[in-house]
Every structure is written in structure tokens, then in C-alpha cells.
């Protein structure tokens, strides 16, 4: 049996306010991703082990509550940070899988 896969394209036309909101979410995701990457690199160099996105997510939740540097996360949906860390975790898993394979 053949499987048919279909894709649909949808053009978004956000107004100015929506575009600013989307841009803010993208910037927040970028900042969280880069924070997570720096943290993983430092942890790996110190211990030889990698962090999981669950560990970093817990840390980020605490930082969002306690550190002024992470106040921007209070203004974006929770999933923005969660998916940024999950994407980083996926990148790490694929990288180390390829390293093991040679």
C-alpha cells in the first residue's frame, strides 16, 4: 500500500503588533538556545557528561523566577523556552550519534 504525503503552505500576514510579538518570541528562543548551548559546553568540559533538556529546563525555571537577566521569559509563552531547549537537546543527540558512528 502506498502512502501519500501532502504538504500545505500557508502565508502569514501578521499586522505590526503580531509581527513584533513573533519577533520577540524568536529572540527569546535564540537567547535560551544560546544560554543552553553555553551551559552544555561548560558542563561537558568540566565533567565529560552532557546535560539533558529536563535539567536545563528546571534550571531555567528557577532563573526566570530569581534572576533579572531572565525576566524577558516572563513575557513569552512557556513553550518558547521549552522547545528551544528541546531542539538543542535533539542537536546534541544527533551530533553524538554521528560521532559514535564515525
Amino acid at each position: 500500500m502506498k502512502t501519500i504525503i501532502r504538504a500545505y503552505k500557508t502565508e502569514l500576514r501578521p499586522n505590526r503588533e503580531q509581527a513584533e510579538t513573533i519577533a520577540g518570541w524568536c529572540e527569546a528562543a535564540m537567547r535560551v538556545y544560546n544560554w543552553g548551548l553555553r551551559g552544555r559546553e561548560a558542563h561537558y568540559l568540566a565533567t565529560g557528561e552532557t546535560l539533558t533538556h529536563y535539567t536545563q529546563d528546571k534550571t531555567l525555571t528557577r532563573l526566570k523566577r530569581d534572576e533579572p537577566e531572565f525576566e524577558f521569559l516572563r513575557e513569552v509563552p512557556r513553550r518558547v523556552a521549552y522547545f528551544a531547549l528541546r531542539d538543542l537537546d535533539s542537536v546534541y543527540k544527533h551530533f553524538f550519534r554521528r560521532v559514535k558512528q564515525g
Side-chain angles (χ1 to χ4, degrees):
M1 181 176 183
K2 241 183 180 180
T3 302
I4 298 173
I5 300 174
R6 292 190 175 135
Y8 299 93
K9 290 184 180 182
T10 303
E11 182 178 348
L12 298 178
R13 293 185 185 158
N15 61 32
R16 180 178 293 194
E17 182 182 342
Q18 292 167 331
E20 289 173 0
T21 299
I22 293 168
W25 293 353
C26 291
E27 182 180 345
M30 177 191 66
R31 290 176 66 182
V32 168
Y33 186 95
N34 289 335
W35 169 83
L37 181 60
R38 286 191 306 272
R40 281 179 181 244
E41 289 172 344
H43 185 77
Y44 186 78
L45 290 174
T47 66
E49 298 176 356
T50 188
L51 294 172
T52 65
H53 82 277
Y54 297 111
T55 306
Q56 286 190 306
D57 191 45
K58 287 180 187 178
T59 303
L60 192 61
T61 300
R62 184 181 49 76
L63 290 174
K64 180 171 76 170
R65 186 184 65 233
D66 299 337
E67 297 293 326
E69 178 186 346
F70 292 92
E71 278 184 5
F72 70 94
L73 289 174
R74 296 179 191 162
E75 300 171 10
V76 299
R78 173 77 188 97
R79 292 204 172 266
V80 169
Y82 175 80
F83 281 110
L85 291 176
R86 197 179 81 170
D87 290 345
L88 177 62
D89 191 59
S90 177
V91 167
Y92 259 73
K93 285 178 182 176
H94 291 310
F95 171 77
F96 284 112
R97 186 192 66 209
R98 287 192 309 268
V99 168
K100 285 180 184 179
Q101 290 175 348

